Amino acid sequence: MSTTGKTRDSSVNGVGPSPSAEEASSVLRPRPSWPSWLSWFRRPLVFAVVFGVVFAVAGAGLQVLTWQVRQDPAAGNRALVDTETTDGVIGEVGNALSRILSYSPDTTDSTAQAAQEVLGGNASSEYNALFSQVKLRAATEGLTLTTRVVRAGVIRLSGGTAQLLVFLDQVIVRKDKPNGTTVAAQLSVTARFDAGHWRIVEIHAR
């Protein structure tokens, strides 16, 4: 298994201000028709997180996954032995997630174009079904979402398919919340090698 990540300059020791009843209801109300990994697109406000805890959990999670991979007798899993490929997968998938999960009122077209380039399978159909609404909300509410991969690891690599665990930082800014709100996300991602590049075909929130 190969992992990459960036360390924060400082950690946040508290949480953001409590949302109003209306905002909390919007965050917590079930959205069964929406893929869970895309749900933050609809959130007008999300809670800030304690980043030190997030990094600790991320590190522990990846260590557990490393142990699981080492115990896997399947000879086809190259996640621990093919470091060149795993590094390439992490780089491409991390860059893809940052592109398709970041937008502003002026960049939704380029974000949608990036999704066409890096997504396939179920991930592509789910994303395309949602993004027209994202563009409308970004324009009317002045929404900006910035996503950064803070840590990622390949837990299985077999043939032309890779399974990854990815930890994200996301900052949401809108006209009535100009200071922004930060939230952490954890995704399970499946990518397939296609025409010389790794294309994301499945994404699930953890």
Side-chain angles (χ1 to χ4, degrees), residues 50-174:
V50 181
F51 293 114
V53 174
V54 171
F55 281 111
V57 171
L62 289 174
Q63 288 175 2
V64 170
L65 288 170
T66 299
W67 180 85
Q68 291 175 337
V69 170
R70 291 184 185 278
Q71 305 307 310
D72 189 348
N77 187 3
R78 298 182 288 117
L80 291 176
V81 297
D82 191 344
T83 57
E84 181 179 357
T85 300
T86 54
D87 287 347
V89 175
I90 290 171
E92 284 203 59
V93 169
N95 181 61
L97 290 173
S98 296
R99 293 172 65 194
I100 67 173
L101 299 180
S102 299
Y103 65 84
S104 69
D106 298 327
T107 63
T108 51
D109 287 341
S110 60
T111 299
Q113 178 59 42
Q116 300 304 312
E117 298 171 0
V118 302
L119 296 181
N122 291 336
S124 179
S125 58
E126 290 173 353
Y127 190 97
N128 292 336
L130 172 65
F131 204 70
S132 60
Q133 298 180 52
V134 171
K135 292 175 68 173
L136 179 60
R137 288 200 60 185
T140 58
E141 300 179 24
L143 283 175
T144 296
L145 177 67
T146 303
T147 296
R148 183 174 66 89
V149 174
V150 294
R151 192 158 187 174
V154 176
I155 59 176
R156 185 168 185 82
L157 177 65
S158 180
T161 301
Q163 296 175 339
L164 303 90
L165 180 62
V166 183
F167 296 86
L168 308 173
D169 258 0
Q170 296 180 298
V171 180
I172 302 171
V173 177
R174 62 180 187 178

